[in-house]
Amino acid sequence: MNAMCVGLLKERDLIKAAAHGIGNVLLVVGSRTGRDGIHGASFASEELTHESERRRPQVQVGDPFTEKLLLEASLALIASGHIVAIQDMGAAGLTSSSAEMAAKGGVGVEIDLSLVPTREPGMTPYEILLSESQERMLVVARPERVAQVQAIAEQWDLTATPIGRVTDDGMYRATWKDKVVVEIPGQRLIDDCPVYTPEAREDEAIARLRTEVPLPAPRSPLPLRCSPAPRPSPDRVQALGLRAVRLDGSGGHGDRPRGRCRRNSRAGCSIRDCGDGGLQQPLCPARPV
């Protein structure tokens, strides 16, 4: 399934997800980090079986109310000019968002994982890096603008916590207080990822079935308005408390002529335009006028 949002944006309102500016600060905006969603990206690519129940913690837990607050705060931050880059923490959480921002900007990043706000005690650096907890954004701001960024987040009952900085060595470095737990050339996390090309082959039975039984020609969809409707039985009409209205205007209230159905007149559809005989649009819960 493909999903997209198509719209028009003003170029001056756009901002890129590319970290730049040596010494600029990385901040986590939004919810605290939990253990939900760890390995969620790989879990979403697997075939679900009865064994999948054991991996339920890998399913993210969303909070629509916080999501709305984060959306408004992100728009306010972009409009304020206090940030130079922003990206959501999607698949692979903090790891992917920070590595992608660094690679796009051609810089390195250094993150202190002990500063990341967590909502569960005892979380390890590994869990913090790969958590896919929802409603979190990673932003890059100049050091002198950190206070303004935090003030905007606070307006929406959110926190903006500094967790790292942009470096000039191109390395992706994560620490736990004073101990380095990850250090790798950042570009390798993005450009040197393995690419899988699975074999694409149609099942022979499906191919044979398609040649033996050709697909039927597509049927033309009926128009949404003025489409013929099946004639209901009198008992059905009476049970629903509805009146049948014929094309000549007769029906209901002593067969006085009725020119239009109120429901159809609002749609700009005259009953006499619905066909050339028979009973069209027979069920009319509105009073004819």
Side-chain angles (χ1 to χ4, degrees), residues 33-44 46 48 50-62 119-120 123 127 130-134 136:
T33 298
R35 288 189 172 93
D36 55 312
I38 297 176
H39 288 297
S42 58
F43 173 72
E46 293 182 0
L48 298 181
H50 293 293
E51 298 296 325
S52 303
E53 185 69 16
R54 300 179 181 178
R55 300 182 62 179
R56 287 186 62 184
Q58 294 169 344
V59 178
Q60 303 91 330
V61 180
R119 65 168 182 262
E120 299 183 40
M123 290 189 65
E127 292 173 328
L130 293 181
S131 170
E132 295 180 17
S133 296
Q134 300 292 283
R136 300 181 302 159

Side-chain angles (χ1 to χ4, degrees), residues 3 34 58 103 124 146 183 186 227 281 283 289:
Q58 294 169 344
T124 66
V146 170
E183 190 170 30
S227 58
Q281 303 288 357
L283 298 182
V289 293

Side-chain angles (χ1 to χ4, degrees), residues 232-244 279 282-283:
S233 65
D235 294 339
R236 180 63 174 168
V237 173
Q238 184 176 6
L240 294 175
L242 305 173
R243 290 187 297 277
L279 188 63
L283 298 182

